[in-house]
Amino acid sequence: MHVFSLDREQQWNPKHHVEKILGAISGGDYTVACWEPGQISPYHCHPHATEIYFCFSGGGTMRTPKETIAVKPGAFVVHPPGEVHEYENGEGRTMLFRVRYGTDMGSRHCAWRGNVDWKQSTEDADYYRRHPVV
């Protein structure tokens, strides 16, 4: 059994959201993700992993190519393998609890709104040429 207190595990950084992996289990991991107001994740996918978010506090917006939803405390969002998604935090601090599982936790980045210094890797560009975002 693994037991954690999300209140004690939280970490914040004004420059970028913090993803703190609390532990790993066979085929996956579990994380606390802490977001300052207005922070945005890269638009990305996990080709070989399911990613599940539970909003513990705060909230923002989750976007996929097909829909955009409000994420509020108590919300539970599941991204199947390969689904491109982005999280944009709202006006207050947000803590999300994340579980990922699959054969590979690696991600492929498509774009990153709000990050003028970001440049897509050659490997990610090749992935999205073969798997266009629809």
Side-chain angles (χ1 to χ4, degrees), residues 1-124:
M1 175 176 8
H2 302 184
V3 179
F4 298 92
S5 164
L6 295 181
D7 287 330
R8 284 196 304 268
E9 297 297 340
Q10 62 188 330
Q11 291 182 355
W12 307 94
N13 187 319
K15 296 182 186 215
H16 58 82
H17 74 279
V18 177
E19 293 181 358
K20 182 179 178 184
I21 296 178
L22 303 176
I25 52 176
S26 178
D29 61 25
Y30 39 96
T31 304
V32 62
C34 300
W35 301 78
E36 293 284 5
Q39 291 178 335
I40 304 172
S41 76
Y43 201 40
H44 70 286
C45 74
H46 303 274
H48 306 288
T50 296
E51 190 168 40
I52 303 167
Y53 287 100
F54 174 78
C55 183
F56 186 74
S57 63
T61 304
M62 190 70 75
R63 179 172 69 101
T64 69
K66 296 183 179 177
E67 63 185 315
T68 299
I69 60 144
V71 176
K72 298 176 182 176
F76 186 85
V77 182
V78 178
H79 296 289
E83 182 174 74
V84 179
H85 58 282
E86 166 197 84
Y87 177 74
E88 181 175 4
N89 197 37
E91 296 177 2
R93 280 184 162 179
T94 296
M95 187 173 7
L96 303 175
F97 179 72
R98 177 185 74 181
V99 175
R100 293 184 301 184
Y101 64 91
T103 58
D104 179 358
M105 301 309 119
S107 59
R108 294 293 178 192
H109 298 88
C110 181
W112 198 346
R113 288 187 308 119
N115 186 340
V116 295
D117 296 325
W118 181 79
K119 185 174 180 343
Q120 187 178 48
S121 73
T122 303
E123 295 82 10
D124 288 353

